[in-house]
Amino acid sequence: MISINWTGIVTFFGTDDLEKVHNFYHNTLNLPLYKDQGACKIYQIPGDGLLGFCQHLETNSKYKSPIITLLADDVDQAYNNLVSMGYSPYSKPKLNPDFNIYHFFINDPDGYSLEIQKFLD
């Protein structure tokens, strides 16, 4: 077993347009910019996680995977805010009894599946 004091996590994704991604994640979703590295921008996720996008990495959004999931207390408000800003989620928020969640999906600017979700248990 490795004995290390882990201090956090950053998950990186490729992007074709760093400024478009910044507008979506920072200006639209209101995620704080944690660090701007020039070729990469890293955003703070509640709970000490970090989400990064880099223009030198290839995008991989052909399929529904990977899925970026943001947890929200009010899924309906997130949905209504995105729709009022002109975004088009796949469908309205709905209950998924298999996983006991309430959620909806939308594509981010690079085509990644973004899920806004609330655990119901």
Side-chain angles (χ1 to χ4, degrees):
M1 177 185 321
I2 296 175
S3 178
I4 296 176
N5 183 23
W6 302 111
T7 60
I9 183 170
V10 181
T11 303
F12 285 99
F13 295 88
T15 181
D16 294 326
D17 189 331
L18 197 55
E19 288 310 309
K20 197 180 247 187
V21 163
H22 178 72
N23 184 56
F24 183 73
Y25 283 95
H26 182 68
N27 298 331
T28 300
L29 297 179
N30 203 30
L31 296 181
L33 181 64
Y34 176 80
K35 188 174 290 244
D36 185 343
Q37 298 176 311
C40 298
K41 290 185 189 276
I42 303 170
Y43 302 92
Q44 180 70 49
I45 304 296
D48 295 330
L50 298 169
L51 184 61
F53 294 90
C54 298
Q55 60 190 15
H56 66 281
L57 299 176
E58 185 176 330
T59 60
N60 183 17
S61 59
K62 287 190 220 176
Y63 307 102
K64 195 173 181 177
S65 177
I67 298 172
I68 300 167
T69 300
L70 297 177
L71 302 177
D73 287 332
D74 193 336
V75 172
D76 290 323
Q77 180 184 2
Y79 174 85
N80 290 331
N81 288 349
L82 286 165
V83 169
S84 72
M85 289 185 258
Y87 291 96
S88 300
Y90 300 172
S91 65
K92 291 184 176 183
K94 62 185 175 187
L95 174 67
N96 182 326
D98 293 335
F99 297 106
N100 199 26
I101 60 173
Y102 186 64
H103 69 143
F104 71 92
F105 287 92
I106 188 170
N107 282 344
D108 84 353
D110 285 303
Y112 292 113
S113 293
L114 175 65
E115 177 184 28
I116 308 296
Q117 170 186 303
K118 180 177 182 173
F119 291 111
L120 298 176
D121 51 9

